[in-house]
Each structure stands twice: as structure tokens, then as C-alpha cells.
Coordinates of all heavy atoms in Angstrom, one line a residue:
M1 N -0.3 -8.7 -9.9 CA 0.4 -9.1 -8.7 C 1.1 -7.9 -8.2 O 1.7 -7.1 -8.9 CB 1.4 -10.2 -9.1 CG 2.1 -10.9 -7.9 SD 1.0 -11.8 -6.8 CE 0.6 -13.2 -7.9
Y2 N 1.1 -7.8 -6.8 CA 1.7 -6.7 -6.1 C 2.7 -7.2 -5.1 O 2.5 -8.2 -4.4 CB 0.6 -5.9 -5.4 CG -0.5 -5.4 -6.3 CD1 -1.7 -6.1 -6.4 CD2 -0.3 -4.3 -7.1 CE1 -2.6 -5.8 -7.3 CE2 -1.3 -3.9 -8.0 CZ -2.4 -4.7 -8.1 OH -3.4 -4.3 -9.0
T3 N 3.9 -6.6 -5.1 CA 5.0 -7.1 -4.3 C 5.2 -6.1 -3.1 O 5.4 -4.9 -3.4 CB 6.3 -7.3 -5.0 OG1 6.0 -8.1 -6.1 CG2 7.4 -7.8 -4.2
L4 N 5.1 -6.5 -1.9 CA 5.5 -5.7 -0.8 C 7.0 -5.8 -0.6 O 7.6 -6.8 -0.5 CB 4.8 -6.2 0.5 CG 5.1 -5.5 1.8 CD1 4.7 -4.0 1.7 CD2 4.4 -6.2 3.0
M5 N 7.6 -4.6 -0.6 CA 9.1 -4.5 -0.5 C 9.5 -3.7 0.8 O 8.7 -3.0 1.3 CB 9.6 -3.6 -1.7 CG 9.3 -4.2 -3.0 SD 10.2 -5.7 -3.4 CE 11.9 -5.0 -3.6
K6 N 10.7 -4.0 1.2 CA 11.2 -3.4 2.4 C 12.6 -2.7 2.0 O 13.4 -3.4 1.4 CB 11.4 -4.4 3.5 CG 12.1 -3.8 4.8 CD 12.2 -4.7 5.9 CE 13.0 -5.9 5.7 NZ 13.2 -6.7 6.9
S7 N 12.7 -1.5 2.4 CA 14.0 -0.8 2.2 C 14.6 -0.6 3.5 O 14.1 0.1 4.4 CB 13.7 0.6 1.6 OG 14.9 1.3 1.4
E8 N 15.8 -1.3 3.7 CA 16.5 -1.3 4.9 C 17.9 -0.8 4.8 O 18.6 -1.1 3.7 CB 16.4 -2.6 5.7 CG 17.1 -3.7 5.0 CD 17.0 -5.1 5.8 OE1 16.1 -5.2 6.7 OE2 17.7 -6.0 5.4
Q9 N 18.5 -0.1 5.7 CA 19.9 0.3 5.7 C 20.8 -0.9 5.6 O 20.7 -1.9 6.3 CB 20.2 1.2 6.8 CG 21.5 1.9 6.7 CD 21.7 3.0 7.7 OE1 21.0 3.1 8.7 NE2 22.6 3.9 7.4
A10 N 21.7 -0.8 4.6 CA 22.7 -1.9 4.4 C 23.6 -2.1 5.6 O 24.0 -1.0 6.2 CB 23.4 -1.7 3.1
K11 N 24.0 -3.3 5.9 CA 25.0 -3.5 6.9 C 26.4 -3.3 6.3 O 26.6 -3.5 5.1 CB 24.9 -4.9 7.4 CG 23.5 -5.1 8.1 CD 23.3 -6.7 8.4 CE 22.0 -6.9 9.1 NZ 20.8 -6.3 8.4
P12 N 27.4 -2.9 7.1 CA 28.7 -2.7 6.6 C 29.3 -4.0 5.9 O 29.0 -5.1 6.3 CB 29.6 -2.4 7.8 CG 28.5 -1.9 8.9 CD 27.3 -2.6 8.5
G13 N 29.9 -3.7 4.7 CA 30.4 -4.8 4.0 C 29.5 -5.5 3.0 O 29.9 -6.4 2.3
S14 N 28.3 -5.0 2.9 CA 27.3 -5.6 2.0 C 27.6 -5.0 0.6 O 28.4 -4.1 0.4 CB 25.9 -5.2 2.4 OG 25.6 -3.9 2.2
N15 N 26.9 -5.5 -0.4 CA 27.1 -5.1 -1.8 C 26.1 -4.0 -2.2 O 25.9 -3.8 -3.4 CB 27.0 -6.2 -2.7 CG 28.2 -7.2 -2.6 OD1 29.2 -6.8 -2.2 ND2 28.0 -8.5 -2.9
A16 N 25.5 -3.3 -1.3 CA 24.5 -2.3 -1.6 C 25.1 -1.1 -2.3 O 26.3 -0.8 -2.0 CB 23.8 -1.8 -0.3
T17 N 24.4 -0.6 -3.2 CA 24.9 0.6 -4.0 C 24.0 1.8 -3.7 O 22.9 1.7 -3.3 CB 25.0 0.3 -5.5 OG1 23.6 0.1 -5.9 CG2 25.9 -0.8 -5.8
G18 N 24.5 3.0 -3.9 CA 23.8 4.2 -3.7 C 24.4 5.0 -2.6 O 25.1 4.5 -1.8
S19 N 24.0 6.3 -2.6 CA 24.7 7.2 -1.6 C 24.3 6.9 -0.2 O 25.1 7.1 0.7 CB 24.2 8.6 -1.9 OG 22.9 8.8 -1.8
R20 N 23.2 6.4 0.1 CA 22.8 6.0 1.5 C 22.9 4.5 1.8 O 22.7 4.1 2.9 CB 21.4 6.5 1.7 CG 21.3 8.0 1.7 CD 20.0 8.4 2.2 NE 19.8 9.9 2.3 CZ 18.8 10.5 2.5 NH1 17.7 9.9 2.6 NH2 18.8 11.8 2.5
E21 N 23.2 3.8 0.7 CA 23.3 2.3 0.9 C 22.2 1.7 1.6 O 22.3 1.2 2.7 CB 24.7 2.0 1.5 CG 25.9 2.5 0.7 CD 27.2 1.9 1.2 OE1 27.2 1.2 2.1 OE2 28.2 2.3 0.6
Y22 N 21.1 1.5 0.8 CA 19.9 0.8 1.3 C 19.7 -0.5 0.5 O 20.0 -0.4 -0.8 CB 18.7 1.7 1.2 CG 18.6 2.7 2.4 CD1 19.3 3.9 2.3 CD2 17.8 2.4 3.5 CE1 19.2 4.8 3.3 CE2 17.8 3.3 4.5 CZ 18.4 4.5 4.4 OH 18.4 5.4 5.4
E23 N 19.2 -1.5 1.1 CA 19.0 -2.7 0.3 C 17.4 -2.8 0.2 O 16.7 -2.6 1.1 CB 19.5 -3.9 1.0 CG 21.0 -4.0 1.1 CD 21.6 -5.2 1.9 OE1 20.9 -5.7 2.8 OE2 22.7 -5.6 1.5
Q24 N 17.0 -3.3 -1.0 CA 15.6 -3.5 -1.2 C 15.3 -5.0 -1.1 O 16.0 -5.8 -1.8 CB 15.2 -3.0 -2.6 CG 15.7 -1.6 -2.9 CD 15.3 -0.6 -1.8 OE1 14.2 -0.4 -1.4 NE2 16.4 0.2 -1.3
K25 N 14.4 -5.4 -0.3 CA 14.1 -6.9 -0.1 C 12.6 -7.1 -0.4 O 11.8 -6.4 0.1 CB 14.5 -7.3 1.2 CG 16.0 -7.2 1.5 CD 16.3 -7.8 2.8 CE 17.8 -7.8 3.0 NZ 18.2 -8.4 4.3
K26 N 12.3 -8.2 -1.1 CA 10.9 -8.7 -1.2 C 10.4 -9.2 0.1 O 11.1 -10.0 0.8 CB 10.8 -9.7 -2.3 CG 11.0 -9.2 -3.7 CD 10.9 -10.3 -4.7 CE 11.2 -9.8 -6.1 NZ 11.1 -10.8 -7.1
V27 N 9.2 -8.8 0.5 CA 8.7 -9.3 1.8 C 7.5 -10.3 1.5 O 7.5 -11.4 2.1 CB 8.1 -8.1 2.6 CG1 7.4 -8.6 3.9 CG2 9.3 -7.2 3.0
A28 N 6.6 -10.0 0.6 CA 5.5 -10.8 0.3 C 4.9 -10.4 -1.1 O 5.2 -9.3 -1.6 CB 4.4 -10.7 1.4
Q29 N 4.0 -11.2 -1.7 CA 3.3 -10.9 -2.9 C 1.8 -11.1 -2.6 O 1.4 -12.0 -1.9 CB 3.7 -11.8 -4.1 CG 5.1 -11.5 -4.5 CD 5.4 -12.1 -5.9 OE1 5.3 -13.3 -6.0 NE2 5.9 -11.2 -6.8
Y30 N 1.0 -10.2 -3.3 CA -0.4 -10.2 -3.1 C -1.1 -10.2 -4.5 O -0.6 -9.4 -5.4 CB -0.9 -9.0 -2.3 CG -0.3 -9.1 -0.9 CD1 0.9 -8.5 -0.6 CD2 -1.1 -9.6 0.1 CE1 1.4 -8.6 0.6 CE2 -0.5 -9.7 1.4 CZ 0.7 -9.1 1.7 OH 1.2 -9.2 2.9
A31 N -2.1 -10.9 -4.7 CA -2.9 -10.8 -5.9 C -4.0 -9.7 -5.8 O -4.3 -9.1 -6.8 CB -3.7 -12.1 -6.2
D32 N -4.4 -9.4 -4.6 CA -5.4 -8.4 -4.3 C -4.8 -7.0 -3.9 O -4.0 -7.0 -3.0 CB -6.3 -8.9 -3.2 CG -7.4 -7.9 -2.9 OD1 -8.3 -7.7 -3.8 OD2 -7.4 -7.3 -1.8
F33 N -5.1 -5.9 -4.6 CA -4.5 -4.7 -4.4 C -4.8 -4.2 -3.0 O -3.9 -3.7 -2.3 CB -5.0 -3.6 -5.5 CG -4.5 -2.2 -5.2 CD1 -3.2 -1.9 -5.4 CD2 -5.4 -1.3 -4.7 CE1 -2.7 -0.6 -5.2 CE2 -5.0 0.0 -4.5 CZ -3.6 0.4 -4.7
D34 N -6.1 -4.2 -2.5 CA -6.4 -3.7 -1.3 C -5.7 -4.5 -0.1 O -5.3 -3.8 0.9 CB -8.0 -3.8 -1.1 CG -8.8 -2.8 -2.0 OD1 -8.1 -1.8 -2.3 OD2 -9.9 -3.1 -2.3
A35 N -5.6 -5.8 -0.3 CA -4.8 -6.5 0.7 C -3.4 -6.1 0.8 O -2.8 -6.0 1.8 CB -5.0 -8.1 0.4
A36 N -2.8 -5.8 -0.4 CA -1.4 -5.4 -0.5 C -1.2 -4.0 0.2 O -0.3 -3.9 1.0 CB -0.9 -5.3 -1.9
V37 N -2.1 -3.1 0.0 CA -2.1 -1.8 0.6 C -2.2 -1.9 2.1 O -1.5 -1.3 2.9 CB -3.1 -0.8 0.0 CG1 -3.2 0.5 0.8 CG2 -2.8 -0.5 -1.5
A38 N -3.1 -2.7 2.6 CA -3.3 -2.9 4.0 C -2.1 -3.5 4.6 O -1.7 -3.0 5.7 CB -4.5 -3.8 4.2
A39 N -1.5 -4.5 4.0 CA -0.2 -5.1 4.5 C 0.9 -4.1 4.6 O 1.7 -4.1 5.6 CB 0.1 -6.3 3.7
C40 N 1.0 -3.3 3.6 CA 2.1 -2.2 3.5 C 1.8 -1.2 4.7 O 2.8 -0.8 5.4 CB 2.1 -1.6 2.1 SG 3.3 -0.4 1.9
D41 N 0.6 -0.7 4.8 CA 0.3 0.2 5.9 C 0.6 -0.4 7.3 O 1.2 0.3 8.1 CB -1.1 0.7 5.8 CG -1.4 1.5 4.6 OD1 -0.5 2.0 4.0 OD2 -2.7 1.7 4.3
Q42 N 0.3 -1.6 7.5 CA 0.5 -2.3 8.8 C 2.0 -2.4 9.0 O 2.5 -2.2 10.1 CB -0.1 -3.6 8.8 CG 0.1 -4.3 10.1 CD -0.7 -5.6 10.2 OE1 -1.4 -6.0 9.3 NE2 -0.4 -6.4 11.3
A43 N 2.8 -2.8 8.0 CA 4.3 -3.0 8.1 C 4.9 -1.7 8.4 O 5.8 -1.6 9.2 CB 4.8 -3.6 6.8
N44 N 4.5 -0.6 7.8 CA 5.0 0.7 8.1 C 4.7 1.2 9.5 O 5.5 2.0 10.1 CB 4.6 1.8 7.0 CG 5.4 1.7 5.8 OD1 6.6 1.4 5.8 ND2 4.8 1.7 4.6
R45 N 3.6 0.8 10.1 CA 3.2 1.2 11.4 C 4.1 0.3 12.4 O 4.4 0.8 13.5 CB 1.7 0.9 11.7 CG 0.8 2.0 11.1 CD -0.6 1.8 11.7 NE -1.2 0.5 11.5 CZ -1.8 0.1 10.4 NH1 -2.0 0.9 9.4 NH2 -2.3 -1.1 10.3
E46 N 4.3 -0.9 12.1 CA 5.0 -1.8 13.0 C 6.5 -1.9 13.0 O 7.1 -2.4 13.9 CB 4.4 -3.2 12.9 CG 2.9 -3.3 13.2 CD 2.3 -4.7 12.9 OE1 3.1 -5.6 12.5 OE2 1.1 -4.9 13.3
H47 N 7.1 -1.4 11.9 CA 8.5 -1.6 11.7 C 9.2 -0.3 11.3 O 8.6 0.5 10.6 CB 8.8 -2.6 10.6 CG 8.2 -3.9 10.8 ND1 8.7 -4.9 11.7 CD2 7.1 -4.5 10.3 CE1 8.0 -5.9 11.7 NE2 7.0 -5.8 10.9
P48 N 10.5 -0.1 11.7 CA 11.1 1.2 11.4 C 11.5 1.3 10.0 O 11.7 2.4 9.4 CB 12.3 1.2 12.4 CG 12.6 -0.2 12.7 CD 11.2 -0.9 12.6
D49 N 11.8 0.2 9.3 CA 12.2 0.2 7.9 C 11.0 0.6 7.0 O 9.9 0.3 7.3 CB 12.7 -1.2 7.4 CG 14.0 -1.6 8.2 OD1 14.9 -0.7 8.3 OD2 14.1 -2.8 8.6
R50 N 11.3 1.3 5.9 CA 10.2 1.7 5.0 C 9.7 0.5 4.2 O 10.5 -0.2 3.6 CB 10.8 2.9 4.1 CG 9.7 3.3 3.1 CD 10.2 4.4 2.2 NE 9.3 4.8 1.2 CZ 9.2 4.3 0.0 NH1 10.0 3.4 -0.4 NH2 8.3 4.7 -0.8
H51 N 8.4 0.4 4.0 CA 7.8 -0.7 3.2 C 7.0 0.1 2.1 O 6.5 1.2 2.3 CB 6.9 -1.5 4.0 CG 7.6 -2.4 5.0 ND1 8.2 -2.0 6.1 CD2 7.9 -3.7 4.9 CE1 8.7 -3.0 6.8 NE2 8.6 -4.1 6.0
Y52 N 7.0 -0.6 0.9 CA 6.3 0.0 -0.2 C 5.8 -1.1 -1.1 O 6.3 -2.2 -1.0 CB 7.2 1.0 -0.9 CG 8.5 0.5 -1.5 CD1 8.6 0.1 -2.8 CD2 9.6 0.4 -0.7 CE1 9.8 -0.4 -3.3 CE2 10.8 -0.1 -1.2 CZ 10.8 -0.5 -2.5 OH 12.0 -1.0 -3.0
L53 N 4.9 -0.7 -2.1 CA 4.4 -1.7 -3.1 C 5.0 -1.4 -4.4 O 5.2 -0.3 -4.9 CB 2.9 -1.6 -3.2 CG 2.1 -2.0 -1.9 CD1 0.6 -1.7 -2.2 CD2 2.4 -3.4 -1.5
M54 N 5.2 -2.5 -5.2 CA 5.7 -2.5 -6.5 C 4.6 -3.3 -7.3 O 4.2 -4.4 -6.9 CB 7.0 -3.1 -6.7 CG 8.2 -2.4 -6.0 SD 8.6 -0.8 -6.7 CE 9.4 -1.3 -8.2
N55 N 4.4 -2.9 -8.6 CA 3.5 -3.7 -9.4 C 4.3 -4.5 -10.4 O 5.6 -4.4 -10.4 CB 2.5 -2.9 -10.1 CG 3.0 -1.9 -11.1 OD1 4.2 -1.9 -11.5 ND2 2.2 -1.0 -11.5
D56 N 3.7 -5.3 -11.2 CA 4.4 -6.1 -12.2 C 5.2 -5.3 -13.2 O 6.1 -5.8 -13.9 CB 3.4 -7.1 -12.9 CG 3.0 -8.2 -12.0 OD1 3.7 -8.5 -11.0 OD2 2.0 -8.8 -12.3
S57 N 4.8 -4.1 -13.4 CA 5.6 -3.2 -14.3 C 6.8 -2.5 -13.7 O 7.4 -1.7 -14.4 CB 4.6 -2.1 -14.9 OG 3.6 -2.7 -15.6
G58 N 7.1 -2.7 -12.5 CA 8.2 -2.1 -11.8 C 7.9 -0.7 -11.3 O 8.9 -0.1 -10.9
K59 N 6.6 -0.4 -11.2 CA 6.3 0.9 -10.7 C 6.0 0.9 -9.2 O 5.5 -0.1 -8.7 CB 5.1 1.5 -11.4 CG 5.5 1.8 -12.9 CD 4.3 2.6 -13.6 CE 4.7 2.9 -15.0 NZ 3.7 3.7 -15.6
E60 N 6.4 1.9 -8.5 CA 6.1 2.0 -7.0 C 4.8 2.8 -6.8 O 4.5 3.8 -7.4 CB 7.3 2.7 -6.4 CG 7.0 2.9 -4.9 CD 8.2 3.7 -4.3 OE1 9.3 3.9 -4.8 OE2 8.0 4.1 -3.1
F61 N 4.0 2.3 -5.8 CA 2.8 3.0 -5.4 C 3.1 4.0 -4.4 O 3.6 3.6 -3.2 CB 1.7 2.0 -4.9 CG 0.4 2.5 -4.7 CD1 -0.4 2.9 -5.8 CD2 -0.2 2.7 -3.4 CE1 -1.6 3.5 -5.6 CE2 -1.4 3.2 -3.3 CZ -2.2 3.6 -4.3
Y62 N 2.9 5.3 -4.7 CA 3.3 6.4 -3.8 C 2.3 7.5 -3.9 O 1.9 7.9 -5.0 CB 4.7 6.9 -4.2 CG 5.1 8.1 -3.3 CD1 5.7 7.8 -2.0 CD2 5.1 9.4 -3.7 CE1 6.0 8.8 -1.2 CE2 5.4 10.4 -2.9 CZ 6.0 10.2 -1.6 OH 6.3 11.2 -0.8
A63 N 1.7 7.9 -2.7 CA 0.8 9.0 -2.6 C -0.4 8.7 -3.6 O -0.9 9.5 -4.4 CB 1.4 10.3 -3.0
D64 N -0.9 7.5 -3.5 CA -2.1 7.0 -4.3 C -1.9 7.0 -5.8 O -2.9 7.1 -6.6 CB -3.3 7.9 -3.9 CG -3.8 7.7 -2.5 OD1 -3.6 6.6 -2.0 OD2 -4.3 8.6 -1.9
N65 N -0.6 6.9 -6.3 CA -0.3 6.9 -7.7 C 0.8 5.9 -8.0 O 1.7 5.7 -7.1 CB 0.1 8.3 -8.2 CG -1.0 9.3 -8.2 OD1 -2.0 9.1 -8.9 ND2 -0.8 10.4 -7.4
W66 N 0.8 5.4 -9.2 CA 1.9 4.5 -9.5 C 3.0 5.4 -10.2 O 2.7 6.1 -11.2 CB 1.5 3.5 -10.5 CG 0.6 2.4 -9.9 CD1 -0.8 2.4 -10.0 CD2 1.0 1.4 -9.0 NE1 -1.3 1.4 -9.2 CE2 -0.2 0.7 -8.6 CE3 2.2 1.0 -8.5 CZ2 -0.2 -0.3 -7.7 CZ3 2.2 -0.1 -7.6 CH2 1.0 -0.7 -7.2
I67 N 4.2 5.4 -9.7 CA 5.3 6.2 -10.2 C 6.4 5.3 -10.7 O 6.6 4.2 -10.3 CB 5.8 7.2 -9.2 CG1 6.3 6.5 -7.9 CG2 4.7 8.2 -8.8 CD1 7.0 7.4 -7.0
D68 N 7.3 5.8 -11.6 CA 8.5 5.1 -12.1 C 9.6 5.1 -11.1 O 9.8 6.0 -10.4 CB 9.0 5.7 -13.4 CG 8.0 5.4 -14.6 OD1 7.3 4.3 -14.5 OD2 7.9 6.3 -15.5

């Protein structure tokens, strides 16, 4: 299973942690890897917030590789 995630800047007063204060939100889940990549690419073209994929092991898909 692959999860499409969105990283968006936190609104003032939220509980986000980190130096830049971004919140990570689940957008959708996909069983098919190619469909997940296509949805991620489309979301990044259409929205200003960064979208990325996570696998069931908690790794992020970046530059054609799974990273921790």
C-alpha cells in the first residue's frame, strides 16, 4: 500500500513541530505503485503544497528511491 501525503505550512496556533512548522497530512492510499506515482505527480503540478509518497515501512519515495 502506498500513501499520498501532503506537506503544508502550519497555521498559527497549530501543534506542528519543527523549525519550519509544516504539517503532514494523508491525502489518499493506493494499492498500485504506478497509480500512486501518477497521482503524486499530478498533485505536485496542480497544488503549491509538496506531495510525496510513503510506503508501509514508513519510507519516502524520492528521486526514484525509497529513503528513510
Side-chain angles (χ1 to χ4, degrees):
M1 189 65 69
Y2 305 97
T3 304
L4 178 61
M5 301 289 294
K6 176 172 66 169
S7 179
E8 65 182 11
Q9 193 165 17
K11 294 170 181 52
S14 70
N15 292 332
T17 60
S19 61
R20 293 189 177 169
E21 297 190 2
Y22 283 83
E23 293 179 331
Q24 312 308 309
K25 295 186 177 181
K26 290 181 183 179
V27 176
Q29 288 195 309
Y30 298 86
D32 180 67
F33 175 73
D34 291 332
V37 170
C40 186
D41 289 344
Q42 181 177 354
N44 279 320
R45 283 192 305 272
E46 294 177 358
H47 303 283
D49 297 315
R50 179 179 176 268
H51 290 75
Y52 59 95
L53 294 178
M54 298 288 290
N55 66 15
D56 287 339
S57 299
K59 293 186 177 187
E60 178 182 345
F61 191 67
Y62 180 78
D64 296 328
N65 291 299
W66 291 104
I67 60 171
D68 290 329

